[in-house]
Amino acid sequence: MALASRTCDDASVAEQKIGVCNLCEATCGLLLTIEDGRVTGARGNPDDPLSRGHICPKGVALGDIHADPDRLRRPVRRIGKGPDARWEEIGWDEALDIVADGIARAVNAHGDDAFALYLGNPNAHSLGALTHGLTMVQTFRTRNKFSATSVDQLPHQLIGHQLYGHQLLLPVPDIDRTSYFLVFGANPMASNGSLMTVPDFPGRLRELHERGGRMVVFDPRRTETAKVADEHHFVRPGTDAWVLLAMLHTLFTEGLTAPASYVDGLAAVEAAVAGFTPEAAEQASGVSAEEIVRITREFAAADGAAAYGRMGVSTQEFGLVCQWAVQLLNLVTGNTDRVGGAMFTSPAIDAVGRGLIGRGHHDRFRSRVRQAPEFGGELPVSVLREEIETPGEGQVRALLTIAGNPVLSTPDGVALDRAIDGLDFCASIDIYLNETTRHADVILPPTTLLERDHYDLPFHVLAVRDTARFTPAVFPKSRDQRHDWEIFRDLHLRVNRRLERKAPLRRRLVAEARLRMSPTFLIGMLLRTGRSGVTLTQLRKHPEGVDIGALQPDQLPSRLFTRDKRIQALPDLVAGDLDRLRRQEVPTGEELLLIGRRHQRDCNSWMHNTDRLTRGRTRHHLLMHPADLDARGLVDGALVTVASRVGKVEVEVKATEDVMPGVVSLPHGYGHQRDGVRLAVASQVVGVSINDLTDPDRLDVSGNAVLSGVPVTVS
Ligand SMILES: Nc1nc2c(c(=O)[nH]1)N[C@H]1C(S)=C(S)[C@@H](COP(=O)(O)OP(=O)(O)OC[C@H]3O[C@@H](n4cnc5c(=O)[nH]c(N)nc54)[C@H](O)[C@@H]3O)O[C@H]1N2
Ligand SMILES: Nc1nc2c(c(=O)[nH]1)N[C@H]1C(S)=C(S)[C@@H](COP(=O)(O)OP(=O)(O)OC[C@H]3O[C@@H](n4cnc5c(=O)[nH]c(N)nc54)[C@H](O)[C@@H]3O)O[C@H]1N2
Ligand code: SF4
Ligand SMILES: [Mo]
């Protein structure tokens, strides 16, 4: 696998190694050049059957994380607080003991719920976090489990659970064969796809166009994706539900439905969407009624069409309704489970089918203060602050964050920052000091991707093609480093030793047995016991990946997790929320609404410490339409104050016709200076946190935060 080759001056030996990028869901295969223990070159691996040679600037920067002197490699303990804090390296045993003591102290004195966990995005991209982290997390009996899910894709998971009986049995657009790709609130040209693992989106879109296919995009901003679409329609933030429901309405009134035989309850859907006319949608959203009707007809007539909605339509007040309506567009037109439509994967390790990921459950318990319902054992992260600050039984006293940064990534970061600062104990498993981990008493840093074996459990489940790939660690870990799975194992053992009320013995022993096996061993076992015929030995021989083939149609109804193997098209939860939407006044479009954005060179709130991704033109500005600037007597480049119900920020404004009038946009993941402290961030990175403006009181019925369409003033 390592093809050693001597460089001309033979001063050092350059090696080529196959690697993988885990920074986003595209999971590109890489060819890395290694010299003197460093990555000196990175390109896409053309032999990778899924990513086909694609790479983006972040993939090239993967080596920068590995080499970054600011990256934590040994545990650190905080001495002092706030701007005066110092960090001291300590040994692993001491560090793990302090963390286990802190957690056990809170639980023993105040009960299970006194300990809270927050799991951030990179957990989904680490094999060890999935095989071992989740096992450890599940052994804690606290109700206060949180993750980035509730500022992201919670409505998708809830609708998967409601329609198909499993939170991750989610169809993905068959991008390689579709002839009509209808996109709401997603920007795959920058994000490289989400809940749709689609490396080389630009190349795949080119092929779609060469086939004569179309892509139609609804977005309040003319994004990178909108610019390469066949059609882009501005939609007022937070009003997509009206548009999507009007499309369903049109399908029924024009007799354009062709549902599969296992879908029940369509008469109820027809009745429920009856009032949502294209005219009402036009008034709410700004999209013309004729366009809505025309697009619906084209969608229904296309030979293989896929509707897709992502962040922009998940993180809004009617996110669940939006995600339901997207599924229904595909179902009602017979495009679900059909070539060119929205299809299900058949991964080598079927994490869904084999029950490695639970089906999900809803509202088994509620949060203590606000009574917000759980999903899959997690509470909405928007309630975390109040659970920390509200006294009483069950108050959170200790927090463990794992690969996350909720101070920047969840609503009202300023208030959460303050709340975390007031905890009795805080610890983090993270490779950087960030705006959240700076409150930790101890930070436990695992190895990074290049130092550990990788197999993608979740993203093969959501990929546009069935493939399998195992990538051995590119670099060996040093003796004083720990893999994340080793940290999870050791922490589990230590905490359980200290707890007065332990988990039931059987459960503990099962967890311990699982935690003692390495992730790679578990992958080998899962492959061996699966039905794909792919083995770890084969994958080791083919580190570029093995192609299983294009997505297979006709998997339903047998793959459904519903009891009767049928789809109930109008779940009660959705019916109730449609009533709520019906009772709402149709939005007038008078308020100025804030939305977020992602840039190809950003990675949520981190990776701002590499020069490669941060030099050049800054991209932290508030984007605003020139007419909106004029109306306020503001000029391009001015420092403006953006204020919401929750807070205010000062930031430079940039005039652009790429946002629709009445809409302003800030990127998320910025705002690194807190208390005058800057952490692991290149000096050229400036900007503010959009989540100092977002409102933790505004939740979708699923519990997801409303991050899109926040009313603001700009002065
Ligand atoms: N307003 C607004 N808010 C948003 C969003 C938005 O669009 N708008 N997007 C939301 C979305 S989609 C997401 S996913 C969240 C992300 O928010 P979070 O998941 O809370 O945070 P990240 O910014 O991804 O931070 C990841 C942390 O993990 C650390 N890390 C990286 N690799 C590893 C590793 O291998 N192991 C460990 N232990 N740590 C690691 C990094 O150092 C970093 O500190 O933000 C959400 N917040
Ligand atoms: N470069 C880069 N890639 C990433 C990430 C990153 O930080 N940087 N993060 C990764 C993560 S964690 C995720 S979850 C994915 C997200 O993947 P995407 O969802 O594709 O990414 P976003 O850029 O958040 O796209 C959301 C789009 O919704 C639009 N929008 C906002 N409000 C509304 C609305 O009310 N209606 C409609 N129709 N549109 C709206 C925004 O303008 C934006 O274009 O990206 C992943 N990939
Ligand atoms: S698109 Fe970029 S960040 Fe995403 S996996 Fe590929 S190289 Fe990594
Ligand atoms: Mo995300």
Side-chain angles (χ1 to χ4, degrees):
M1 184 208 131
L3 327 154
S5 66
R6 224 154 248 284
T7 53
C8 344
D9 61 1
D10 88 347
S12 64
V13 177
E15 248 187 310
Q16 288 281 317
K17 283 200 172 188
I18 286 179
V20 63
C21 179
N22 70 339
L23 293 171
C24 83
E25 298 174 39
T27 69
C28 297
L30 306 181
L31 286 177
L32 301 171
T33 308
I34 314 289
E35 283 172 275
D36 294 334
R38 276 180 173 246
V39 178
T40 54
R43 56 196 178 92
N45 183 0
D47 297 328
D48 187 295
L50 182 62
S51 67
R52 317 182 309 187
H54 184 256
I55 189 169
C56 84
K58 291 203 302 295
V60 182
L62 207 54
D64 300 348
I65 306 176
H66 180 250
D68 188 349
D70 289 334
R71 171 168 67 92
L72 300 175
R73 288 163 174 81
R74 274 171 290 276
V76 288
R77 172 169 56 190
R78 179 170 49 75
I79 319 259
K81 239 179 176 223
D84 304 321
R86 278 192 310 110
W87 295 87
E88 172 188 86
E89 282 191 359
I90 54 176
W92 279 100
D93 278 327
E94 187 184 359
L96 286 160
D97 279 338
I98 296 173
V99 177
D101 282 339
I103 295 170
R105 208 180 315 119
V107 174
N108 289 339
H110 304 286
D112 289 325
D113 295 340
F115 170 52
L117 292 128
Y118 174 84
L119 274 72
N121 170 276
N123 285 295
H125 301 266
S126 158
L127 176 58
L130 293 163
T131 55
H132 289 61
L134 295 184
T135 304
M136 181 197 78
V137 168
Q138 277 157 11
T139 62
F140 292 114
R141 276 170 301 197
T142 174
R143 293 181 162 194
N144 287 308
K145 291 176 185 153
F146 305 92
S147 81
T149 291
S150 52
V151 278
D152 190 350
Q153 80 288 357
L154 178 52
H156 296 254
Q157 291 182 220
L158 183 51
I159 215 60
H161 175 258
Q162 300 274 312
L163 289 177
Y164 312 119
H166 194 294
Q167 57 176 329
L168 278 186
L169 187 66
L170 294 170
V172 268
D174 183 18
I175 187 97
D176 292 339
R177 290 176 291 182
T178 194
S179 53
Y180 202 98
F181 187 34
L182 179 60
V183 180
F184 283 85
N187 187 10
M189 285 295 283
S191 71
N192 304 294
S194 181
L195 300 182
M196 167 176 71
T197 283
V198 57
D200 193 18
F201 181 79
R204 292 182 137 101
L205 180 64
R206 214 176 310 119
E207 290 163 10
L208 182 149
H209 281 141
E210 282 161 13
R211 292 195 301 276
R214 293 175 72 70
M215 176 169 76
V216 176
V217 173
F218 285 81
D219 200 301
R221 181 165 77 90
R222 193 177 295 112
T223 60
E224 296 80 351
T225 305
K227 285 177 182 162
V228 294
D230 299 273
E231 287 179 35
H232 164 235
H233 299 274
F234 278 136
V235 55
R236 214 170 276 146
T239 65
D240 299 79
W242 299 86
V243 177
L244 286 156
L245 295 171
M247 289 181 165
L248 285 174
H249 171 100
T250 306
L251 289 175
F252 286 107
T253 54
E254 301 205 348
L256 301 175
T257 59
S261 59
Y262 47 79
V263 184
D264 292 327
L266 286 175
V269 174
E270 181 171 3
V273 301
F276 292 100
T277 60
E279 291 69 30
E282 172 172 333
Q283 199 192 334
S285 69
V287 185
S288 87
E290 293 94 89
E291 295 282 60
I292 293 173
V293 172
R294 176 185 57 79
I295 291 166
T296 310
R297 287 178 186 152
E298 287 174 7
F299 183 83
D303 183 17
Y308 167 75
R310 204 38 206 100
M311 272 297 283
V313 281
S314 292
T315 54
Q316 55 171 274
E317 178 139 14
F318 288 91
L320 185 77
V321 168
C322 286
Q323 294 306 338
W324 170 78
V326 167
Q327 296 298 326
L328 262 283
L329 280 178
N330 293 325
L331 277 169
V332 165
T333 54
N335 276 302
T336 302
D337 198 24
R338 161 197 181 182
V339 169
M343 301 184 72
F344 297 94
T345 56
S346 316
I349 297 179
D350 182 4
V352 169
R354 296 180 64 181
L356 306 178
I357 304 166
R359 295 162 47 174
H361 45 76
H362 180 241
D363 206 8
R364 282 200 187 155
F365 60 87
R366 296 193 169 189
S367 70
R368 177 180 63 110
V369 179
R370 202 192 300 189
Q371 299 295 306
E374 62 82 38
F375 179 72
E378 279 181 22
L379 289 169
V381 69
S382 294
V383 313
L384 174 56
R385 183 210 50 82
E386 69 210 26
E387 293 299 331
I388 296 174
E389 290 190 332
T390 311
E393 205 184 314
Q395 180 183 4
V396 170
R397 319 260 179 165
L399 172 70
L400 175 66
T401 70
I402 309 174
N405 192 3
V407 168
L408 290 196
S409 59
T410 73
D412 199 357
V414 171
L416 184 63
D417 200 350
R418 208 172 42 225
I420 293 177
D421 190 48
L423 284 166
D424 293 349
F425 181 75
C426 181
S428 298
I429 301 178
D430 206 293
I431 54 176
Y432 280 107
L433 207 51
N434 71 26
E435 295 68 24
T436 306
T437 62
R438 76 188 177 100
H439 294 295
D441 291 273
V442 167
I443 306 176
L444 306 169
T447 50
T448 66
L449 176 73
L450 295 177
E451 297 154 335
R452 62 195 187 214
D453 296 350
H454 188 68
Y455 182 95
D456 238 298
L457 280 172
F459 300 116
H460 284 311
V461 171
L462 297 163
V464 298
R465 187 175 180 88
D466 289 320
T467 61
R469 181 186 52 206
F470 175 78
T471 315
V474 171
F475 296 114
K477 83 173 165 73
S478 66
R479 279 165 63 102
D480 53 359
Q481 280 185 295
R482 293 279 191 284
H483 292 306
D484 54 2
W485 64 272
E486 295 172 310
I487 298 174
F488 298 127
R489 178 197 61 199
D490 294 349
L491 203 52
H492 168 90
L493 293 172
R494 278 170 214 245
V495 173
N496 269 287
R497 236 176 273 143
R498 288 163 169 81
L499 287 182
E500 283 161 14
R501 203 170 71 90
K502 297 181 199 304
L505 183 67
R506 219 186 93 82
R507 236 175 70 195
R508 234 166 48 228
L509 291 179
V510 170
E512 276 168 27
R514 172 112 65 102
L515 289 170
R516 284 181 201 283
M517 293 182 247
S518 77
T520 303
F521 180 84
L522 286 168
I523 289 299
M525 203 167 72
L526 285 165
L527 285 168
R528 220 169 28 245
T529 52
R531 266 182 270 161
S532 69
V534 176
T535 62
L536 189 56
T537 315
Q538 183 190 5
L539 294 184
R540 282 191 188 278
K541 262 191 222 143
H542 295 280
E544 73 282 6
V546 169
D547 193 25
I548 299 173
L551 302 184
Q552 292 298 308
D554 305 324
Q555 303 203 23
L556 299 191
S558 68
R559 282 202 67 187
L560 291 173
F561 279 76
T562 51
R563 224 166 268 138
D564 54 1
K565 297 272 177 201
R566 301 185 66 79
I567 294 171
Q568 177 47 250
L570 185 61
D572 292 344
L573 199 60
V574 174
D577 221 32
L578 287 173
D579 288 339
R580 183 169 70 101
L581 180 60
R582 230 175 266 118
R583 286 195 305 271
Q584 284 232 330
E585 282 179 33
V586 177
T588 57
E590 274 154 29
E591 279 174 314
L592 193 58
L593 299 176
L594 173 70
I595 61 168
R597 68 176 184 271
R598 291 181 149 72
H599 188 277
Q600 198 198 30
R601 287 162 176 268
D602 284 323
C603 188
N604 294 322
S605 77
W606 64 297
M607 295 209 54
H608 277 158
N609 204 32
T610 151
D611 197 49
R612 196 191 301 271
L613 297 179
T614 55
R615 69 181 164 225
R617 244 193 293 158
T618 50
R619 45 182 190 262
H620 61 280
H621 299 80
L622 180 79
L623 304 182
M624 193 170 193
H625 194 276
D628 288 325
L629 279 170
D630 282 350
R632 288 163 184 77
L634 298 170
V635 291
D636 181 50
L639 191 66
V640 296
T641 302
V642 190
S644 72
R645 184 192 80 78
V646 164
K648 61 180 180 202
V649 297
E650 279 193 357
V651 65
E652 295 101 306
V653 67
K654 191 179 222 153
T656 172
E657 292 188 354
D658 284 346
V659 287
M660 72 187 285
V663 174
V664 287
S665 163
L666 277 176
H668 96 280
Y670 282 75
H672 298 288
Q673 46 291 323
R674 306 241 147 200
D675 282 355
V677 185
R678 282 173 69 90
L679 309 151
V681 178
S683 58
Q684 61 267 33
V685 179
V686 289
V688 295
S689 174
I690 186 174
N691 285 319
D692 290 352
L693 298 168
T694 53
D695 190 339
D697 286 353
R698 288 185 69 202
L699 298 183
D700 167 48
V701 68
S702 67
N704 212 53
V706 176
L707 306 172
S708 268
V710 179
V712 290
T713 58
V714 176
S715 53

